[in-house]
Amino acid sequence: MQSVTPQAGPTDPRLTCYLTNLGALYSTDPGLAARLEQLPFAALPPLLPTRDGLWTTQVTADDGKAVTVHSRYQPLDEARSLIDTQAKRPREAPTGAESTAQDELENECFLVLGLGLGYHVAELERRFPRPFLIVAEDDLALLKAALCVTDLAVPLRERRLTFLTAADKSQIHERLRPILTALMLGLRFINPPHARRYHARFHTQISTLLRDFVSYGRLQMVSVVRNARLTCHNAAFNLAAYVAHPGVEVLAGRAAGYPAILVAAGPSLARNIDQLPALRDRAIIVAVQTVFRTLRARGCPPHFVTSLDYHEISAQFFRDVEAGDTILVAEPKVSWHVLDTFRGRTHVLNSGFLNDLLRDAAPTRGRLRAGSTVAHLAFYLAEHLGCDPIILVGQDLAFPEGLYYPPGMQIERIWQPELGRFVTVEMKQWERIVRSRSNLRRVKDIHGRDTYTDDQMFTYAEQFQSDFLASPARIIHATEGGRRLEGTEVMTLREAAEQYCRRPLPAGLFAADPAPPPADLKSRVVRALEQRLEELNETRGIATDTLNILERLAALVEQPAEFNRLVTRVDELRARMQRNNQTYGLVSQVSQLAELRRVHADRAIRDEQAETPGTARRRLKRDREYVAAFIEGCDYLLRMLPEAIQRVRERLA
């Protein structure tokens, strides 16, 4: 029995391997690297020599029995067999047949439940081209032992290897957001035999959290891809408001230390809506657009109302309603009908798309995190204001008592023509819920009882819980209904008000005296947009020439000399496109589906495999499809921007 010790000589390959891995880990996860470095080598499980000259080790299983982590004979062969069985579709695909393209691996993102000594992780790295590796391992001593035995420095340095050492929702969201696209293209679970007996509960928790994150990410990505053009269209039509009104930068920290009450439109809002008017002078009321009209009618105009929905139906929440001193905070993607309808003070968030359109003419605008709903935006705004605590009201994220909306909401007016003896409001509420019966889930409410939610609200809750766990503010769940949310403290609104809403708000807390816009604002904006139109026409011409050459190349795959001569022309066009890189980025933002398809196609065409005529044809097909979609994106912008220019001319003084 042998073990790595801190007294090992500088030539000991185990120590060399450990130091190399540790250096790579420090570049990506310094916190974990420091924790491992503080762990003495004497605390590591002993390394046992195997028959083929490698190492295995033993740990105490959950049932108290000893379990060997890897084979005592040939741990590498065992790792290969595990990957063959659980990962499928190896890299060494048959050559010479185009039909094998359908059999190639599409998902190269793996969750490995239990690191062991790292052999199966190293086998994934060897077997697949640049895979993303997520390793769940909460035994730091075993993790350090693995770093002494298996070289994982390359995937660590390239940020393709992530260790999850705790079943922490917030950490998982933070670590995995950068690889969300890879996760959406495919995720496979690798479950080594020892992990089924060793810390099995931890691995089950990680599996559940990761599945939940994938559900959340899928909704995010589908929304981005599906609404890419609508997002850009609304933002462009909101240009006048974007340049004429201040952003949220002027609101940063303005309510530091004061409580905020976030009012959402969940069914339980009916329980405590009558308490809100008396709290308006002692707490910042931030409402979602859905309840704006209702709060105004109840004598409690909110200090802020948030809006970000794409659809023009959102404007109905503001139509024929006096804004008073309520401040609208909106994302630039919100339906332009909302900003046209709301007549009060408005703040529009930063927009990368609009900044790319305006470039030097772009104003400075503050950012908030991107949220899925107006309720997320309300929470981020409360944090931006510096509010503490943040008190949630009407944030059910479930269907308590068979209700989808609280009584008296605007939706009941829409239902009114259908109501009668055989169709009641309660029936319409339940009908709205069971419409999504295939997507319903059971969750626990704040009282520990079962209640229903759907996939969409489940993913909204995932984002909220990640945000709450990471927030410096205290989060009070005063909804008095709905599902339990991690990172919150449950109490009634009355209790929260008595404890936290004691001080009156200062007069003029959000008063603003914005500087008047520049006299040449309209001309600067119009000139910038007209320049983008010129650049788009040039960019479209380059893309059209490229597509024509790609079509010719497809007919020359079997004629290498002619093929290579024509490829140089593609390189020239690529260099011209790179000079229009910012315009290329604009088109990419309205062609998200094409971008996703290109990434998916890249996964199916291995850079590492031998180049064959079949491979070349697949690459050309991928490129032709992408360039054709890119040209269509140019055409969309060329149609949309003149309309945006006209709106700027009409709406800016």
Side-chain angles (χ1 to χ4, degrees):
M1 181 179 296
Q2 302 180 38
S3 63
V4 178
T5 68
Q7 289 79 32
T11 59
D12 188 324
R14 295 168 300 184
L15 183 60
T16 302
C17 182
Y18 166 70
L19 293 175
T20 301
N21 283 327
L22 186 69
L25 185 60
Y26 260 115
S27 68
T28 59
D29 191 346
L32 177 58
R35 290 164 62 199
L36 293 178
E37 193 169 19
Q38 292 168 5
L39 187 67
F41 283 96
L44 273 55
L47 296 178
L48 309 174
T50 62
R51 184 171 294 181
D52 62 358
L54 296 175
W55 307 96
T56 187
T57 190
Q58 281 189 342
V59 293
T60 302
D62 298 340
D63 59 6
K65 298 178 181 179
V67 59
T68 303
V69 174
H70 300 287
S71 167
R72 291 177 177 270
Y73 300 94
Q74 295 177 314
L76 289 185
D77 286 348
E78 179 189 56
R80 294 187 191 104
S81 177
L82 176 75
I83 301 309
D84 283 342
T85 302
Q86 297 191 16
K88 310 289 187 186
R89 298 175 181 171
R91 173 187 285 178
E92 294 84 358
T95 59
E98 290 193 38
S99 61
T100 61
Q102 297 301 317
D103 298 325
E104 296 188 37
L105 184 71
E106 292 182 0
N107 56 307
E108 294 178 6
C109 193
F110 300 92
L111 171 63
V112 183
L113 298 168
L115 176 62
L117 292 179
Y119 297 134
H120 39 285
V121 176
E123 178 63 15
L124 288 169
E125 174 70 9
R126 184 193 73 82
R127 188 81 65 96
F128 301 104
R130 295 174 56 80
F132 289 97
L133 304 165
I134 306 162
V135 178
E137 184 54 74
D138 62 342
D139 184 343
L140 296 190
L142 185 58
L143 197 161
K144 184 166 182 173
L147 297 186
C148 295
V149 172
T150 304
D151 184 0
L152 301 172
V154 171
L156 280 171
R157 278 196 298 267
E158 294 180 355
R159 298 181 180 273
R160 293 186 290 103
L161 172 56
T162 298
F163 293 114
L164 302 177
T165 60
D168 183 322
K169 186 187 299 287
S170 178
Q171 181 193 73
I172 287 175
H173 280 238
E174 179 185 354
R175 296 286 180 83
L176 300 187
R177 277 194 190 105
I179 62 168
L180 182 57
T181 300
L183 282 170
M184 294 303 98
L185 291 176
L187 171 67
R188 192 172 293 274
F189 285 57
I190 304 297
N191 194 2
H194 83 275
R196 300 166 194 170
R197 300 178 56 195
Y198 183 63
H199 294 195
R201 183 171 180 271
F202 168 72
H203 296 138
T204 299
Q205 290 174 325
I206 289 292
S207 298
T208 300
L209 288 171
L210 197 63
R211 286 189 176 98
D212 291 345
F213 177 79
V214 169
S215 296
Y216 152 75
R218 184 176 293 113
L219 180 67
Q220 296 287 93
M221 180 162 290
V222 168
S223 178
V224 168
V225 172
R226 179 184 296 163
N227 297 309
R229 293 197 174 176
L230 185 54
T231 295
C232 295
H233 179 274
N234 283 339
F237 274 38
N238 285 327
L239 258 169
Y242 186 69
V243 298
H245 298 292
V248 293
E249 66 281 350
V250 300
L251 298 172
R254 294 284 287 273
Y258 289 95
I261 300 176
L262 306 192
V263 186
S268 64
L269 177 60
R271 287 195 178 98
N272 43 40
I273 191 171
D274 291 333
Q275 298 180 54
L276 294 176
L279 298 175
R280 190 181 187 277
D281 294 333
R282 291 178 283 143
I284 313 302
I285 307 293
V286 185
V288 302
Q289 62 181 19
T290 325
V291 299
F292 176 58
R293 184 186 296 271
T294 302
L295 290 179
R296 292 281 306 176
R298 295 294 188 106
C300 183
H303 297 93
F304 293 93
V305 60
T306 56
S307 188
L308 56 69
D309 292 337
Y310 305 97
H311 200 280
E312 65 184 76
I313 198 172
S314 299
Q316 72 174 339
F317 301 119
F318 305 102
R319 190 166 288 122
D320 302 322
V321 181
E322 289 295 326
D325 60 357
T326 298
I327 302 169
L328 172 64
V329 174
E331 287 198 6
K333 68 181 182 182
V334 71
S335 169
W336 52 273
H337 299 87
V338 168
L339 297 186
D340 284 2
T341 301
F342 188 79
R343 298 302 181 187
R345 179 174 156 190
T346 301
H347 295 260
V348 183
L349 303 183
N350 188 285
S351 167
F353 177 74
L354 294 184
N355 293 342
D356 289 343
L357 277 178
L358 296 174
R359 299 191 193 165
D360 293 342
T364 301
R365 293 290 176 262
R367 298 178 183 272
L368 296 180
R369 279 174 287 168
S372 300
T373 68
V374 283
H376 291 99
L377 177 55
F379 176 73
Y380 302 146
L381 175 60
E383 282 192 316
H384 184 70
L385 292 167
C387 296
D388 190 6
I390 299 173
I391 303 167
L392 309 179
V393 171
Q395 194 60 259
D396 293 86
L397 294 168
F399 307 123
E401 302 173 14
L403 297 176
Y404 195 95
Y405 301 103
M409 295 300 294
Q410 177 72 12
I411 189 67
E412 293 184 4
R413 298 186 184 183
I414 298 174
W415 288 338
Q416 193 64 43
E418 303 176 52
L419 301 181
R421 180 178 177 185
F422 301 106
V423 180
T424 65
V425 170
E426 291 77 14
M427 290 170 62
K428 294 296 292 184
Q429 291 264 12
W430 181 243
E431 184 182 281
R432 179 62 183 83
I433 295 170
V434 297
R435 189 185 305 164
S436 304
R437 61 167 58 87
S438 62
N439 296 318
L440 292 180
R441 299 177 181 228
R442 275 201 179 103
V443 294
K444 295 296 183 182
D445 69 6
I446 60 169
H447 306 293
R449 302 173 304 201
D450 285 342
T451 189
Y452 283 111
T453 188
D454 61 18
D455 284 346
Q456 186 177 60
M457 285 197 293
F458 184 86
T459 59
Y460 294 161
E462 284 297 294
Q463 183 172 353
F464 266 128
Q465 291 176 112
S466 176
D467 294 332
F468 295 161
L469 290 166
S471 179
R474 172 174 288 183
I475 313 300
I476 307 298
H477 194 326
T479 290
E480 301 179 38
R483 66 171 291 183
R484 184 68 183 258
L485 299 169
E486 290 184 61
T488 66
E489 181 181 348
V490 176
M491 61 177 66
T492 67
L493 179 58
R494 196 172 303 281
E495 291 169 340
E498 290 174 355
Q499 188 169 348
Y500 299 109
C501 304
R502 296 180 173 180
R503 292 185 297 167
L505 300 178
L509 185 59
F510 303 113
D513 185 20
D520 64 342
L521 179 61
K522 180 193 292 189
S523 61
R524 288 172 55 199
V525 171
V526 169
R527 186 163 56 250
L529 296 180
E530 289 174 341
Q531 289 173 348
R532 298 299 85 76
L533 284 172
E534 293 175 8
E535 293 162 3
L536 279 165
N537 276 307
E538 181 182 356
T539 299
R540 189 191 188 285
I542 297 171
T544 301
D545 291 345
T546 302
L547 183 59
N548 291 335
I549 293 176
L550 290 173
E551 297 284 357
R552 293 168 59 191
L553 285 171
L556 297 174
V557 169
E558 304 287 354
Q559 303 173 49
E562 290 81 355
F563 185 95
N564 291 334
R565 277 196 294 271
L566 195 55
V567 163
T568 60
R569 176 61 179 150
V570 175
D571 293 336
E572 294 171 4
L573 291 169
R574 183 181 296 114
R576 286 180 58 197
M577 184 67 80
Q578 288 173 347
R579 290 195 291 270
N580 285 344
N581 192 49
Q582 286 181 291
T583 307
Y584 177 92
L586 280 172
V587 181
S588 296
Q589 290 184 65
V590 299
S591 306
Q592 290 293 306
L593 183 58
E595 295 288 337
L596 186 61
R597 284 174 174 165
R598 183 174 66 166
V599 172
H600 188 275
D602 286 343
R603 284 298 184 93
I605 303 172
R606 309 295 176 76
D607 290 335
E608 287 78 7
Q609 74 182 49
E611 188 74 20
T612 66
T615 306
R617 289 190 182 94
R618 289 196 295 277
R619 292 187 195 283
L620 287 168
K621 181 175 183 293
R622 172 202 63 189
D623 293 342
R624 292 198 310 273
E625 289 176 350
Y626 175 75
V627 174
F630 183 87
I631 292 171
E632 203 275 324
C634 290
D635 291 339
Y636 174 80
L637 287 174
L638 287 168
R639 291 191 304 270
M640 184 265 287
L641 283 184
E643 297 176 11
I645 292 172
Q646 183 59 33
R647 276 185 55 84
V648 168
R649 288 192 170 116
E650 292 171 354
R651 302 192 69 81
L652 279 183

